[in-house]
Amino acid sequence: MISVEQAEALILGAVQVGVASDRVPLSEAIGRILAMPIESALDFPHWDNSAMDGYAVRFEDVVNPGVTLTIVEEIPAGAVPSVAVRSGQAARILTGSMMPEGADTVVMQEWTARSSDGQSIQILKVPPEKGDFVRHQGSFYRSGQPLLRSGLRLGGAEMAVLAAAQCLQVPVFRRLRVGILSTGDELVLPDQPLKPGQIVDSNQIALLALLKQAGFEAIALGSVKDDRESLKRAMAAAIEQCDVVISSGGVSVGDYDYVESLLGELGGEILVRSIAVKPGKPLTFATFPEQKLYFGLPGNPVSALVTFWRFVLPALRKRSGQSSPWSPLFVTATTHQPLKSDGKRESYLWGSVLGAAEDLQFCPAAGSGSSGNLVNLAGSNALAVIPIGQTRVEAGDRVTVMLV
Ligand code: AMP
Ligand code: MG
């Protein structure tokens, strides 16, 4: 058995960054990973503009409160100013509008009084500094610098930047093809009647969902019986077809647990066989030529998901071209109830993190902490981590929590 840290280092060390790249239309880029830095020929903002509704003035004109300025024009958003603001003058300006020539400062509307004929304004309050409420050209971004870096996963904010930069064809990494294979004679599809001894192949559904959520191309490969030859054929086909294969079940020491020996027979280099982690000890990781990866997860529904979150997802992030950090996010929280571990393996106890900032609270899921209990894993958003050597965390004590 190797430690969680050793396993993570071995796995990430064996994974190369990035599959081949592609170009997709902007409208299809959401969730994809940038394969090249994006630059823009334009500065952001593109021109000096107003951050407020108010009046564009010359700062030297407004250093004393009470001064009256003549309004020379109104500049709504989208308009180009037609006249320069000279001494004793102001232009009505709205948020985002172009600053007129001659003006260097915006006085917010609330600090002014407009004359009844609308021709002039009186300055009621002096703006503290020259340049106030002006967003200067290039103050957010200078043309020629990287606007978005390679390896970024594109979410809503990144899509806004790409759109603003008029990046119509986005260079992205090809989506990672991840196959999911379940093993076990007992497994049936969710729509099939259950005979005694059978259970639904819930791992397939869970892993498909998690992969899709994370932006990968998830390929449902179904379940295969605990028959050595059938399993070997299914594994070989999966490895052929996918960049990464995730199987569940068949990795323990039972009579029908063939995954590990078949990986060897199929030409895989096995780097991880068992990890000092609970749940999830019998995780198998192998690499194949062409940078293909194989994860043999334990079959227990909680073990499969915990090992997916802890070990598989970081590897997929790296392999798909995302820049680091690839590891899960860990925070510190106060546990509501005592937490127990056998102290022999690093334990991950599922539950929920609530609260905010300095006052995060961890509540373990109600009910059994069995790795076969998929029911109370639902609704969990975090895993409390108890290190090797520690058997208890008392209620009210701080504990490291992995967010999922
Ligand atoms: P195994 O690792 O194959 O010995 O499986 C351990 C436990 O997980 C057994 O109780 C299996 O029935 C269960 N299991 C295995 N695969 C799945 C699956 N795809 N969906 C739900 N439970 C599973
Ligand atoms: Mg099995």
Side-chain angles (χ1 to χ4, degrees):
M1 272 201 302
I2 57 173
S3 72
V4 167
E5 285 66 34
Q6 283 171 318
E8 182 176 39
L10 268 173
I11 292 169
L12 286 176
V15 173
Q16 277 177 20
V17 176
V19 273
S21 59
D22 216 351
R23 271 179 195 269
V24 293
L26 176 61
S27 59
E28 289 165 28
I30 182 74
R32 303 294 296 268
I33 297 149
L34 267 187
M36 274 198 267
I38 301 292
E39 289 182 9
S40 169
L42 290 175
D43 291 335
F44 282 78
H46 311 323
W47 14 262
D48 288 1
N49 70 89
S50 176
M52 292 277 181
D53 292 335
Y55 294 88
V57 300
R58 302 161 75 96
F59 183 70
E60 61 196 32
D61 282 355
V62 296
V63 287
N64 298 312
V67 67
T68 297
L69 302 173
T70 308
I71 299 169
V72 290
E73 72 169 330
E74 172 159 329
I75 313 164
V80 178
S82 62
V83 291
V85 171
R86 304 190 190 288
S87 189
Q89 297 181 335
R92 169 77 173 136
I93 197 162
L94 295 141
T95 305
S97 296
M98 282 179 103
M99 284 293 284
E101 217 179 290
D104 54 28
T105 301
V106 171
V107 183
M108 67 164 98
Q109 189 169 311
E110 292 85 337
W111 293 3
T112 63
R114 190 128 178 191
S115 63
S116 51
D117 64 2
Q119 300 297 304
S120 62
I121 46 151
Q122 193 181 19
I123 305 295
L124 304 177
K125 206 166 156 189
V126 175
E129 273 181 67
K130 181 172 173 172
D132 271 343
F133 305 126
V134 178
R135 298 189 287 218
H136 289 283
Q137 176 173 346
S139 60
F140 303 159
Y141 166 80
R142 278 258 170 244
S143 160
Q145 305 284 309
L147 183 62
L148 295 176
R149 62 182 164 73
S150 171
L152 206 57
R153 184 159 182 234
L154 301 172
E158 293 76 23
M159 292 294 286
V161 174
L162 289 171
Q166 298 184 306
C167 179
L168 304 183
Q169 292 292 322
V170 187
V172 293
F173 285 109
R174 176 171 71 65
R175 259 149 55 98
L176 207 59
R177 272 192 295 271
V178 186
I180 307 157
L181 187 64
S182 301
T183 73
D185 288 348
E186 72 278 31
L187 304 177
V188 299
L189 290 170
D191 62 354
Q192 286 172 338
L194 285 175
K195 297 195 189 105
Q198 293 184 325
I199 58 167
V200 171
D201 176 6
S202 60
N203 288 351
Q204 181 100 201
I205 303 291
L207 292 169
L208 259 178
L210 290 171
L211 288 168
K212 283 185 183 166
Q213 219 174 26
F216 304 110
E217 185 182 334
I219 304 165
L221 299 172
S223 70
V224 55
K225 298 263 183 255
D226 289 318
D227 163 72
R228 212 167 194 286
E229 279 316 304
S230 316
L231 183 56
K232 187 173 179 177
R233 273 196 304 276
M235 285 169 64
I239 294 160
E240 174 70 32
Q241 190 190 342
C242 305
D243 300 306
V244 181
V245 179
I246 305 172
S247 68
S248 64
V251 287
S252 314
V253 292
D255 295 342
Y256 303 101
D257 294 334
Y258 304 124
V259 171
E260 187 180 316
S261 66
L262 287 175
L263 283 171
E265 279 178 34
L266 290 167
E269 186 186 349
I270 301 175
L271 298 179
V272 176
R273 295 168 196 275
S274 106
I275 307 173
V277 63
K278 189 180 179 179
K281 180 172 83 165
L283 178 133
T284 307
F285 169 67
T287 57
F288 282 84
E290 300 169 45
Q291 265 299 303
K292 297 194 178 216
L293 310 174
Y294 192 106
F295 290 90
L297 307 185
N300 270 315
V302 178
S303 313
L305 294 201
V306 170
T307 49
F308 176 83
W309 283 316
R310 185 66 189 87
F311 301 105
V312 183
L313 209 43
L316 298 183
R317 290 193 187 107
K318 181 172 180 186
R319 187 75 191 94
S320 63
Q322 288 185 53
S323 43
S324 60
W326 302 297
S327 296
L329 200 57
F330 292 91
V331 297
T332 307
T334 305
T335 182
H336 251 257
Q337 286 153 45
L339 306 173
K340 287 184 212 142
S341 160
D342 65 5
K344 297 192 188 97
R345 294 185 265 156
E346 188 167 301
S347 293
Y348 288 72
L349 310 175
W350 50 104
S352 301
V353 160
L354 317 158
E358 295 304 297
D359 189 33
L360 289 179
Q361 305 279 319
F362 178 77
C363 297
S368 163
S370 154
S371 57
N373 185 357
L374 51 70
V375 177
N376 73 350
L377 187 61
S380 295
N381 65 5
L383 301 162
V385 187
I386 322 270
I388 291 177
Q390 192 174 341
T391 53
R392 265 183 87 85
V393 182
E394 300 305 334
D397 282 356
R398 306 283 278 165
V399 66
T400 298
V401 169
M402 181 179 125
L403 303 180
V404 300

